Amino acid sequence: MNVNENTTGAIYLDHCATTPCFPEVVDIMRFYMEHEFGNASSAHVMGRRARHAIENATQQVASLIGARPEEIVFTSGATEANNIALFSSFAHNECAPAGALLCPIDHKSVLLVGKELARRGLDVEYLPVAANGRVKPEDVMTRLTADTRIVSVTHVNSELGTVQPVDEIAAITRRSGTWIHVDAVQSVGKIPMNVKKTGIDMLSFSAHKMRGPKGIGALFVDARIAARLRPFIYGGGQNHLRSGTLPTPLIVGFGLACQVVQSTLMQRQAKVTALRDYFITRLHQRVPNAVLNTDLACSSPYVVNVQFKGIASEALISGLHQVAISSGSACNSAELQPSHVLTGIGLSSSQANASVRFCFDPDLDNAILDTAIEHLVFRLNSIR
Ligand SMILES: *Cc1c(COP(=O)(O)O)cnc(C)c1O
């Protein structure tokens, strides 16, 4: 099976929600489940072999973001990585004046932690967001206080694709001695990211968003600050902040996915940009009143958010059996509330509820996109 085949036959344009594993990732994971199944903490030969495989994979994961292997903490995914980054930055019974500065259009795994930190008495502030989804570095500067311990921003927004100016924000936090955490789930492996050049203290990413397996992600913690964070899960002491037996097959699969995307990042980026541009051109021809919510001048080519005036996106999506798309983040779909990202950039509830997100993978092609658009047009006509 390749990326464009699945049991439903639907064309999959929801790669921001999750992606299929590269075939070689599945193969290597299978090998580590069946044959090299030792516990990496065991002293015997099988433990040593698992440990060696994990070390190799950790190197691949670290290399993708320009980090050192000892700065990688494996987690169950980015939700957990975001939780650790924020919770571990504060002592368990700490309260204001210490606090955090967040971005209101970020993922719920950041925002709901922020809400909980505020409930515990910490000072949690939010950055203003422009209509294109960008935060301004100047606003970070004016909102930072001597007590702000951590600023958290998402590199690429998962609903809009907007790229935040993390370089400039990191330069500001570096000068003030504040930590910066970046949720880079939608950028790692897709657009270049080097934590050392950018000056990032913590960075979350997830294997299943970049053609690796579900259930594994990583938090990069810069060696300079690692000793100042509190453990998130106490236990045997493996994996710094988060103890527990390391899942060798998942880590090895994650490592291989990182290696593949690292060695092909620029080609994949060029290819997906051409696909995205083709999709938008064709969509405008076939559905002239489609409005882009995404500002293409400052966004990732892997996602575009589109508004179909007067249409309820839920009705559009649920009856569109041949194309798998979402009206925002998968977690929001169950709630039937307008997306906090779209209302956060100033869209009305009805505009937000008329919007859907198309996410691309470089392994798609123009013919598949044409077919998807024809199904979409048919469905739009049948519900108008
Ligand atoms: C998917 C996603 C997450 C959550 O990642 P999981 O690994 O699924 O927990 C966090 N942030 C962003 C921006 C995402 O797109």
Side-chain angles (χ1 to χ4, degrees):
M1 267 205 195
N2 74 23
V3 63
N4 298 314
E5 291 170 30
N6 61 68
T7 45
T8 70
I11 296 172
Y12 187 72
L13 298 181
D14 202 14
H15 295 269
C16 294
T18 194
T19 61
C21 284
F22 287 123
E24 57 268 48
V25 166
V26 177
D27 291 344
I28 200 165
M29 285 177 59
R30 188 179 181 94
F31 181 77
Y32 279 90
M33 289 188 211
E34 288 180 345
H35 303 294
E36 294 272 16
F37 57 85
N39 185 322
S41 299
S42 301
H44 51 66
V45 61
M46 291 195 60
R48 281 201 304 278
R49 289 185 70 99
R51 204 148 59 240
H52 179 74
I54 287 175
E55 280 164 11
N56 181 50
T58 308
Q59 189 87 49
Q60 294 169 320
V61 171
S63 166
L64 178 59
I65 59 164
R68 297 207 297 271
E70 60 275 20
E71 295 173 313
I72 297 296
V73 179
F74 288 109
T75 65
S76 63
T79 295
E80 188 187 316
N82 287 343
N83 271 256
I84 296 177
L86 289 169
F87 280 126
S88 294
S89 294
F90 298 95
H92 296 303
N93 50 6
E94 199 170 356
C95 52
L101 182 57
L102 309 180
C103 172
I105 61 168
D106 284 357
H107 195 263
K108 289 284 168 73
S109 56
V110 169
L111 295 179
L112 292 183
V113 175
K115 220 169 144 185
E116 173 59 18
L117 291 174
R119 194 194 64 80
R120 293 182 189 182
L122 287 153
D123 180 23
V124 180
E125 304 288 337
Y126 297 89
L127 289 162
V129 177
N132 63 3
R134 295 259 279 185
V135 297
K136 287 207 199 80
E138 306 88 271
D139 288 328
V140 176
M141 188 117 72
T142 55
R143 274 164 180 77
L144 275 186
T145 70
D147 300 314
T148 312
R149 185 156 314 151
I150 184 167
V151 174
S152 179
V153 288
T154 294
H155 192 195
V156 170
N157 186 281
S158 59
E159 292 187 40
L160 283 170
T162 308
V163 182
Q164 299 292 3
V166 288
D167 291 70
E168 292 165 73
I169 297 171
I172 293 166
T173 54
R174 191 45 64 94
R175 275 202 300 281
S176 73
T178 311
W179 297 339
I180 180 166
H181 164 254
V182 175
D183 175 344
V185 173
Q186 300 293 349
S187 64
V188 167
K190 294 177 174 165
I191 62 179
M193 161 51 74
N194 183 302
V195 288
K196 300 292 176 184
K197 280 192 194 134
T198 308
I200 288 169
D201 299 298
M202 286 184 261
L203 182 119
S204 304
F205 54 119
S206 183
H208 78 97
K209 303 290 180 86
M210 42 170 280
R211 306 292 303 271
K214 292 169 182 61
I216 185 86
L219 178 67
F220 154 78
V221 181
D222 193 284
R224 288 177 301 100
I225 72 160
R228 296 172 59 197
L229 298 185
R230 316 262 148 175
F232 189 68
I233 294 180
Y234 291 84
Q238 315 95 326
N239 204 20
H240 322 301
L241 300 170
R242 195 241 195 211
S243 285
T245 298
L246 290 167
T248 314
L250 293 174
I251 291 174
V252 169
F254 187 15
L256 183 58
C258 287
Q259 188 190 33
V260 173
V261 294
Q262 184 172 10
S263 62
T264 53
L265 194 145
M266 296 318 282
Q267 295 100 292
R268 289 173 64 79
Q269 190 184 34
K271 186 136 186 264
V272 88
T273 304
L275 288 166
R276 190 252 340 237
D277 292 348
Y278 179 82
F279 179 85
I280 291 172
T281 306
R282 290 290 292 158
L283 184 68
H284 277 144
Q285 286 166 358
R286 300 291 285 120
V287 190
N289 75 345
V291 176
L292 301 192
N293 293 325
T294 297
D295 180 352
L296 300 182
C298 58
S299 63
S300 158
Y302 282 80
V303 50
V304 65
N305 197 297
V306 182
Q307 201 186 124
F308 297 101
K309 292 221 156 107
I311 292 289
S313 61
E314 288 310 316
L316 172 64
I317 290 166
S318 60
L320 187 59
H321 306 299
Q322 306 89 343
V323 188
I325 48 174
S326 288
S327 60
S329 65
C331 345
N332 290 351
S333 308
E335 292 172 19
L336 284 180
Q337 279 169 3
S339 146
H340 72 288
V341 175
L342 298 180
T343 54
I345 60 165
L347 266 57
S348 68
S349 299
S350 63
Q351 288 173 320
N353 285 334
S355 299
V356 295
R357 170 185 79 172
F358 299 91
C359 310
F360 308 106
D361 182 277
D363 292 335
L364 290 161
D365 62 42
N366 288 357
I368 294 172
L369 295 179
D370 278 333
T371 308
I373 288 173
E374 291 318 308
H375 288 306
L376 185 72
V377 168
F378 186 83
R379 179 75 192 144
L380 282 169
N381 289 336
S382 69
I383 59 175
R384 266 210 169 96

